[in-house]
Amino acid sequence: MMNIAIVGRAGVFPQSVDLAAFWDNIVHCRDMTSEVPDGRWRLDSNRVLNHSVEGTWSNRGGYVPTMDLVPSDAWSLDDSDIAGLDPLQSWVLHTAQGAINDGARLPRERTGLILGNLSFPSSAMSAYVERQWFPNVSNSQTHPNHRFMSGRPALLAKKAFALGGPAWSLDCACASGLVSIHLGCEALMSGQMDAVLAGAVNRADDLFIHMGFTALKALSRSGRSQPFSADADGLLPAEGAGFVLLKRLEDAQRDGDPIFGVIRGTGVSNDGRGKGLLVPASRGQVQAMSMAYQRAAVTPESIQMVECHATGTVLGDGTELRSMAEVFNGAQTPWVGSLKGN
């Protein structure tokens, strides 16, 4: 596999308005979760809290601070494009621009964008639907464009930054961001693009997410995220957005770009038919990890740390540990962890 350079990055994450704040929260071991902000659910949380049927077990999650993201004069957008922008679309534009402005030379005509988008209804889409169904109750003035919450953010960013390459969204659930990076690397290796903005966003309707994972019996009843812990009792939803700007390493070196990291190998797989939506297949995990190490010409014995998916569900975390035990069999045990604990 050709070496791929990371030449730009930007993100907004829970309690973190930028990557500097995010890293500061990590190194100081801060809990970035909180109770749902006032008004986010558009109703009194007590009406649905602790209800196992048509309700939620918890009102905690990871929330991005309220930010005043004003449209930039550099965006090639019309007033109709940015009318009442949902935070989902604002975050995509904000973080894509941050990655572009991180110091690398950008060949715009040969730059594409791949966005992993957890395409559940956004808050703005839910508000729009409420206005259609309950016109005498809803005060929403949400723009109709917000019903296009899946593909529109990627196309809006393509237009905003005058990118000449293709732009699209994908939804691979929790793997969306990593799959977008994988596909970005593939596009660079094939020569389809000379630079790729690869990233992901989740700013789905938070009440929808909490109720959905409660119905699936996957939400933490304690409201705590505890990866790999014996006390883990489920996942905690969180939101955010982030992009990396990718170029072929030789091109980045030629252009004098800042190089923040190098991707030497990626691997993907699909669980196929299994026992359920939230039941991962160890076979697929082993296949993806083995493929990445093989393509990178890296042996598991040389790995010092693994950042895991580790959602804090007993079944999911146990499966991931068993998969790593197979891949790292005979190797010195690396450190493992998951940022979801923060």
Side-chain angles (χ1 to χ4, degrees):
M1 174 171 169
M2 181 184 299
N3 289 335
I4 303 298
I6 299 172
V7 297
R9 66 271 133 91
V12 291
F13 298 104
Q15 308 302 320
S16 311
V17 296
D18 54 31
L19 294 184
F22 190 48
W23 181 244
D24 189 65
N25 282 329
I26 293 169
V27 297
H28 288 96
C29 303
R30 296 190 181 107
D31 181 0
M32 292 179 262
T33 66
S34 65
E35 292 187 354
V36 61
D38 290 341
R40 176 65 68 86
W41 287 359
R42 303 184 305 282
L43 51 72
D44 183 353
S45 63
N46 290 322
R47 293 180 56 186
V48 292
L49 192 58
N50 297 321
H51 292 272
S52 59
V53 178
E54 296 186 357
T56 175
W57 293 334
S58 170
N59 65 349
R60 292 188 62 84
Y63 300 101
V64 172
T66 300
M67 297 179 294
D68 186 18
L69 301 179
V70 296
S72 170
D73 293 336
W75 297 354
S76 302
L77 297 175
D78 305 324
D79 289 342
S80 59
D81 291 326
I82 58 178
L85 275 178
D86 181 271
L88 182 153
Q89 300 186 21
S90 294
W91 293 353
V92 169
L93 293 171
H94 176 74
T95 54
Q97 184 175 34
I100 290 172
N101 294 343
D102 215 13
R105 180 181 174 185
L106 188 70
R108 290 186 188 266
E109 284 300 314
R110 295 275 299 163
T111 299
L113 183 146
I114 306 173
L115 175 67
N117 184 356
L118 197 61
S119 295
F120 293 121
S122 66
S123 296
M125 181 183 179
S126 292
Y128 176 74
V129 171
E130 288 166 4
R131 191 181 79 181
Q132 308 309 307
W133 286 354
F134 310 110
N136 297 327
V137 178
S138 174
N139 295 319
S140 169
Q141 298 299 317
T142 306
H143 197 283
N145 278 343
H146 290 304
R147 67 191 188 277
F148 304 120
M149 81 292 170
S150 291
R152 186 172 187 262
L155 299 179
L156 203 61
K158 172 184 168 70
K159 181 178 180 181
F161 305 115
L163 304 180
W168 72 88
S169 296
L170 60 88
D171 185 350
C172 295
C174 299
S176 297
L178 293 177
V179 172
S180 72
I181 291 173
H182 168 79
L183 293 176
C185 292
E186 295 283 329
L188 290 168
M189 289 189 294
S190 69
Q192 181 186 12
M193 307 179 204
D194 290 336
V196 180
L197 280 163
V201 63
N202 173 40
R203 217 290 188 170
D205 185 321
D206 192 59
L207 179 58
F208 178 93
I209 294 293
H210 274 75
M211 292 178 65
F213 280 115
T214 297
L216 290 169
K217 296 181 172 53
L219 191 76
S220 168
R221 290 179 180 267
S222 65
R224 298 176 62 199
S225 179
Q226 302 177 88
F228 296 135
S229 169
D231 297 325
D233 63 350
L235 60 82
L236 216 58
E239 60 190 22
F243 273 100
V244 290
L245 179 60
L246 306 176
K247 295 175 72 173
R248 291 179 287 271
L249 179 60
E250 59 185 25
D251 293 348
Q253 293 171 329
R254 178 200 64 204
D255 295 338
D257 296 333
I259 298 174
F260 303 106
V262 176
I263 301 172
R264 296 179 60 182
T266 62
V268 298
S269 66
N270 191 295
D271 283 349
R273 180 172 293 184
K275 295 180 179 179
L277 179 65
L278 299 177
V279 182
S282 181
R283 172 188 52 80
Q285 294 177 352
V286 170
Q287 180 181 344
M289 285 186 280
S290 300
M291 182 189 302
Y293 291 137
Q294 181 180 12
R295 297 180 78 182
V298 170
T299 62
E301 288 80 5
S302 66
I303 302 301
Q304 295 175 302
M305 177 186 172
V306 180
E307 173 67 18
C308 302
H309 180 46
T311 58
T313 62
V314 174
L315 179 60
D317 290 4
T319 302
E320 193 167 4
L321 287 172
R322 285 190 294 273
S323 300
M324 286 188 289
E326 181 174 342
V327 173
F328 291 92
N329 183 31
Q332 181 178 351
T333 303
W335 291 97
V336 298
S338 171
L339 190 60
K340 293 183 181 71
N342 294 78

